[in-house]
Amino acid sequence: MILALGLVGALQTGLIGGFAGYYLSESLYDEIGQRALMVAKTVATVPDVIEGVQDRDSDALMALSGRLAATNEALFIVIGDQNGMRLAHPDPARIGRSMAEDDDDKGLIALVEGRGYVAVAKGSLGLSMRGKAPIIVPGTGEIIGIVSVGYSLDQVLGTIQRYNLVLYTVVGLMLLASVFAAIIISARFKRAIFGLEPEQIATLFQERDATLQSVREGIIAINRDGIITTFNRTATETLGLSPDTALSGQHISEILPENNLLATLASGEPAFDQEVWLRGRQMIVNRLPVRQSGEITGVVASFRLRDELDQVSRKLTRIQQYADTLRSQTHEYSNKLHTIAGLIQIGAHDRALALIGSEASDHQALIHLLLEAVPDPVLAGCLLGKYNRAREMGLRLEIDPDSQMTDLPDTLPRDQLVSVLGNLIDNALEATRQEKGEGGRVSLSMTDLGRDLIFEVEDQGPGVPPEQSELIFQRGVSSKAGGDHGIGLYLVKRFVDRWGGSVTIESLQGGGSRFTLYLAKQASQTPEAP
């Protein structure tokens, strides 16, 4: 950059200096020529000159031309008659000789055409710029002689050299100033790009682009004006845009009207792992402001479809449900087997057979109910696990035999549904055991008739005071002791609000509460700002 700016400065100052020098020389030559012509015309109108030419008084003309030459700083003033014969000359030896001998045009145009002109010629006094004018008698218009005024070109060249010295000094200073400015600009520019050379910047840009395209999350960056500056291919795919869509240069509101990047740009507060809706899709979004010298210059957002995380979460949920179910059944059946073994050992074979039949009958009835009323395997598995969990706790989970949940919409996330329903049942079991101990009962009824899915969970717990019916859904609020509570109902409320449903609490006569969950079959899926 220093070399480039220096060369540009040198070229500019060189061209300007050369043009100025040439223009100055031409101007001085023209000015000297016009000055010589003007002096010649002035001398030609002096009455003493006209009279001296008429009288051919060389002595008087010699003295007069010398004074006029000194007055006008001319090299010489030569006066001749109508034939071009010298009547006055700085060299007396040339008096009476023709002026044509040292005139390049040989025609003495001033005598022939009666007009003045400027010429460069080399005479007895050297190379000079000459102005020549005819001597005309006033009134008659008769041409009786000629005046030649000359200025030495050495004088002109000396003047030009003085001017050029000043000019080239200024040009040199301008060149030095250009180089100095190039050094300062280069230093500031290099600091701005962290001391990197252009080749390094190009390499980093290629690496950054390759990195962006290899990331499986969508990435979009905006500047301080909200204009998109960076994005990757995954961003267009995740947002459901055409692969040919050019996002760069567009305002973020044109691509994502429901975005909250501008709020992050204004507040400077980062956000991580937020569940939001973008273009009708549920996503996990991170937002991070970009700062330079303490000033926010933009925001970078990364996002991924919630479905991708849900796949992993769903698998883990199912594994946990299976583990809970197996653990509960293992514990329960271990106790049952010990009891049956004890009955056989004491000879109570009939009681042992009755216990085995009762156990098989209860499970068969539950399995038959779930197969008929809840064909969805995820929801059915959740209910079976909670049934076994209740028995392990010494409680009963009773499912209304008239329940029906066969019209679950495909868009309803199963993992979130079982998480919400599981939280309600777990809370009911805990509240019932707290109030009733073993032998308590929790009831569940379900229906998909109409436009909503309705789940009712009744417990025999201490109930929820009316003043806490809204507070209980806030994060961290719980009736249980300890700090690791107050999350379940918060997650329930959050999911219900996002899905466009509702959840209500009723106090039952005789104690206990009824939680009723309403979920629309056609969710509003109200978008949340990222």
Side-chain angles (χ1 to χ4, degrees):
M1 182 172 290
I2 294 175
L3 290 175
L5 292 177
L7 289 175
V8 170
L11 180 61
Q12 289 179 339
T13 53
L15 290 176
I16 294 174
F19 174 77
Y22 173 79
Y23 182 76
L24 176 62
S25 299
E26 292 297 318
S27 298
L28 284 175
Y29 277 118
D30 184 65
E31 181 182 350
I32 294 298
Q34 293 301 318
R35 181 179 179 184
L37 179 59
M38 185 62 65
V39 172
K41 289 181 177 181
T42 301
V43 172
T45 59
V46 174
D48 290 342
V49 173
I50 296 174
E51 183 179 352
V53 171
Q54 288 176 335
D55 296 340
R56 300 187 67 81
D57 187 354
S58 294
D59 293 336
L61 291 175
M62 283 282 288
L64 182 59
S65 64
R67 291 195 306 270
L68 291 175
T71 302
N72 292 280
E73 298 179 350
L75 178 63
F76 62 83
I77 294 179
V78 177
I79 301 174
D81 60 13
Q82 73 272 20
N83 296 318
M85 305 304 292
R86 296 186 181 96
L87 298 176
H89 192 279
D91 185 2
R94 291 184 177 271
I95 300 299
R97 296 172 64 176
S98 176
M99 296 174 63
E101 64 183 7
D102 56 1
D103 197 341
D104 290 344
D105 61 7
K106 306 298 183 184
L108 298 176
I109 297 174
L111 292 174
V112 177
E113 299 181 2
R115 62 181 179 84
Y117 68 97
V118 177
V120 178
K122 185 176 183 180
S124 59
L125 298 178
L127 190 64
S128 60
M129 179 73 70
R130 303 177 180 186
K132 298 187 178 185
I135 301 174
I136 302 174
V137 178
T140 64
E142 179 186 2
I143 298 175
I144 62 173
I146 183 173
V147 176
S148 178
V149 178
Y151 285 90
S152 174
L153 289 183
D154 292 337
Q155 292 176 305
V156 178
L157 292 175
T159 303
I160 292 175
Q161 289 176 354
R162 289 196 303 272
Y163 287 161
N164 283 343
L165 179 61
V166 176
L167 176 64
Y168 292 142
T169 300
V170 174
V171 169
L173 293 176
M174 291 176 59
L175 179 59
L176 291 177
S178 299
V179 174
F180 184 68
I183 294 174
I184 293 177
I185 293 174
S186 300
R188 290 175 62 89
F189 187 76
K190 194 165 186 177
R191 286 198 302 270
I193 59 177
F194 305 102
L196 299 174
E197 295 296 333
E199 295 80 5
Q200 295 174 308
I201 295 175
T203 301
L204 288 176
F205 178 81
Q206 293 173 348
E207 292 177 354
R208 188 211 67 162
D209 188 64
T211 302
L212 282 177
Q213 301 305 329
S214 65
V215 173
R216 297 296 302 275
E217 289 191 350
I219 295 177
I220 289 182
I222 63 172
N223 60 17
R224 68 184 68 193
D225 298 321
I227 304 300
I228 298 176
T229 57
T230 302
F231 69 98
N232 63 353
R233 186 167 48 249
T234 307
T236 58
E237 295 173 355
T238 305
L239 295 175
L241 301 173
S242 171
D244 300 328
T245 304
L247 300 183
S248 295
Q250 298 193 50
H251 198 276
I252 186 64
S253 298
E254 298 177 2
I255 302 300
L256 296 174
E258 63 269 29
N259 80 88
N260 203 23
L261 294 178
L262 297 179
T264 301
L265 187 66
S267 65
E269 295 295 330
F272 301 100
D273 298 329
Q274 288 192 343
E275 295 184 20
V276 301
W277 288 88
L278 290 175
R279 299 180 68 90
R281 299 182 176 189
Q282 190 177 14
M283 301 184 188
I284 304 298
V285 176
N286 299 290
R287 299 188 303 273
L288 188 67
V290 179
R291 300 178 185 272
Q292 185 174 3
S293 300
E295 181 181 359
I296 299 176
T297 59
V299 177
V300 176
S302 64
F303 48 91
R304 168 175 284 191
L305 288 173
R306 172 64 189 267
D307 296 342
E308 298 178 8
L309 299 178
D310 286 348
Q311 292 177 2
V312 178
S313 176
R314 190 177 298 115
K315 292 178 181 179
L316 293 177
T317 300
R318 291 177 180 175
I319 292 173
Q320 183 179 4
Q321 290 174 354
Y322 295 151
D324 290 342
T325 301
L326 290 175
R327 179 173 55 82
S328 299
Q329 290 180 344
T330 300
H331 183 273
E332 180 182 0
Y333 281 107
S334 177
N335 293 331
K336 297 291 184 181
L337 288 175
H338 287 304
T339 302
I340 293 172
L343 291 173
I344 293 175
Q345 289 178 356
I346 64 176
H349 301 92
D350 294 339
R351 296 291 303 273
L353 290 175
L355 180 60
I356 294 173
S358 174
E359 185 66 24
S361 175
D362 291 344
H363 273 81
Q364 287 298 325
L366 176 63
I367 292 174
H368 179 74
L369 172 63
L370 293 178
L371 289 176
E372 291 292 333
V374 187
D376 186 87
V378 177
L379 181 58
C382 172
L383 296 179
L384 181 60
K386 297 305 178 184
Y387 175 84
N388 292 322
R389 172 65 175 163
R391 297 187 62 176
E392 181 183 352
M393 297 172 64
L395 305 174
R396 299 193 313 277
L397 175 60
E398 297 180 354
I399 300 177
D400 188 348
D402 294 329
S403 295
Q404 179 175 322
M405 192 56 61
T406 59
D407 194 17
L408 286 175
D410 294 335
T411 56
L412 181 62
R414 297 300 192 269
D415 62 321
Q416 296 189 33
L417 174 61
V418 298
S419 176
V420 167
L421 187 58
N423 277 322
L424 292 178
I425 295 175
D426 286 340
N427 285 340
L429 292 174
E430 291 289 343
T432 300
R433 185 173 63 173
Q434 176 183 350
E435 187 71 14
K436 296 292 186 180
E438 293 188 4
R441 175 179 54 83
V442 173
S443 300
L444 169 66
S445 64
M446 304 172 289
T447 179
D448 58 3
L449 299 178
R451 301 172 60 182
D452 295 327
L453 306 176
I454 302 175
F455 299 85
E456 290 186 353
V457 179
E458 296 182 4
D459 62 52
Q460 294 179 328
V464 178
E467 62 273 12
Q468 292 188 1
S469 60
E470 293 296 332
L471 295 176
I472 199 170
F473 291 105
Q474 295 182 9
R475 189 183 185 97
V477 177
S478 175
S479 59
K480 306 182 185 74
D484 193 20
H485 300 289
I487 302 296
L489 291 180
Y490 165 75
L491 295 177
V492 170
K493 181 64 174 176
R494 185 176 179 185
F495 171 76
V496 168
D497 290 341
R498 185 167 61 243
W499 189 257
S502 61
V503 58
T504 62
I505 305 176
E506 299 178 53
S507 296
L508 302 177
Q509 292 183 355
S513 302
R514 178 189 295 122
F515 286 77
T516 305
L517 176 65
Y518 299 89
L519 296 177
K521 293 181 180 180
Q522 298 296 329
S524 62
Q525 297 186 357
T526 304
E528 294 180 358

